[in-house]
Amino acid sequence: MARGNTMVPFGYEEEPPAQRGTLLIFETFEDWSEHEIGLVEAIADERKFRKVVFYPQHEESLKRMGVPCAAAYHKRVKMLEDLLQDKSAERYTVDTWEGKRKKYTPVDTSLRFLTDKYASPYFVMMNDRYAAMFAGYKGFDEWIRKVRLLVWRRFGVPLPGKLLAYGDRLDFIGENGESVEA
């Protein structure tokens, strides 16, 4: 018998993995509470994500993107870590790489770093305001082919046609975590 071959009975079908992929969440996390954490937890359980990565962005990045944020980066990270303290550290993590850089970090640089660090497939959750901005960035066409985007309809921002053109790579989430139409 050849090396590495395994004998299986006729008709055997391998079971699909119980958990899959990584959910990367881009957000300010300034006004998050137990409600938003519960929403993310419900989405992660429903879609069976192996890892959920919260990625707060530095205030320099937010300022450059035009996203209002009053709280300092380290205060937002501390608040987020406090909200996640009773969750599994193996499944839920806060990535503080951007805080170490202490300067503007483009979204595609952040995505490149996160996709190198965590297991695939990748799902990126952004609120509608972030998603509309992301669609206008130079690297959007490249990244939308590599990740699946979960757009949280949180602020009621109209989404650009360029984003909606990739409807097969998008899922929309309502205010309470339910799937909604564009």
Side-chain angles (χ1 to χ4, degrees):
M1 190 156 97
R3 287 186 197 174
N5 286 352
T6 306
M7 300 279 294
V8 297
F10 178 76
Y12 173 79
E13 291 184 20
E14 194 171 331
E15 289 185 31
Q19 294 183 324
R20 62 184 180 127
T22 303
L23 176 63
L24 308 169
I25 303 173
F26 281 76
E27 183 59 70
T28 63
F29 301 105
E30 182 176 33
D31 57 348
W32 276 49
S33 65
E34 289 291 334
H35 171 72
E36 285 81 9
I37 298 295
L39 180 134
V40 168
E41 192 173 19
I43 291 169
D45 289 342
E46 176 189 333
R47 295 177 182 240
K48 298 180 173 65
F49 291 123
R50 183 180 317 118
K51 188 87 167 163
V52 178
V53 179
F54 295 88
Y55 187 74
Q57 292 186 287
H58 194 270
E59 52 261 15
E60 290 296 321
S61 297
L62 295 172
K63 185 170 36 169
R64 198 87 160 294
M65 292 167 58
V67 176
C69 184
Y73 175 79
H74 294 288
K75 286 183 181 179
R76 291 181 283 130
V77 169
K78 176 71 174 133
M79 187 260 322
L80 189 56
E81 288 171 344
D82 289 345
L83 287 171
L84 293 171
Q85 73 184 18
D86 62 335
K87 307 290 185 227
S88 164
E90 217 168 271
R91 188 172 190 201
Y92 298 94
T93 187
V94 178
D95 197 299
T96 58
W97 178 68
E98 194 162 335
K100 294 172 188 158
R101 287 177 48 89
K102 297 181 183 172
K103 60 183 181 177
Y104 167 68
T105 307
V107 173
D108 61 334
T109 302
S110 298
L111 282 171
R112 194 172 313 110
F113 169 77
L114 293 169
T115 55
D116 286 347
K117 186 173 180 180
Y118 298 102
S120 65
Y122 303 105
F123 298 81
V124 177
M125 182 175 165
M126 297 178 167
N127 63 47
D128 46 5
R129 180 175 57 196
Y130 264 70
M133 284 187 263
F134 181 47
Y137 293 153
K138 182 176 144 187
F140 173 74
D141 291 325
E142 174 189 339
W143 279 106
I144 197 67
R145 291 183 184 101
K146 296 178 182 178
V147 301
R148 185 161 184 90
L149 196 59
L150 304 178
V151 180
W152 183 15
R153 300 302 297 231
R154 188 171 184 202
F155 299 109
V157 173
L159 299 174
K162 184 176 183 180
L163 181 69
L164 297 174
Y166 289 98
D168 60 326
R169 304 292 303 158
L170 302 175
D171 286 331
F172 295 95
I173 300 166
E175 186 60 35
N176 296 318
E178 72 279 2
S179 292
V180 296
E181 294 297 316

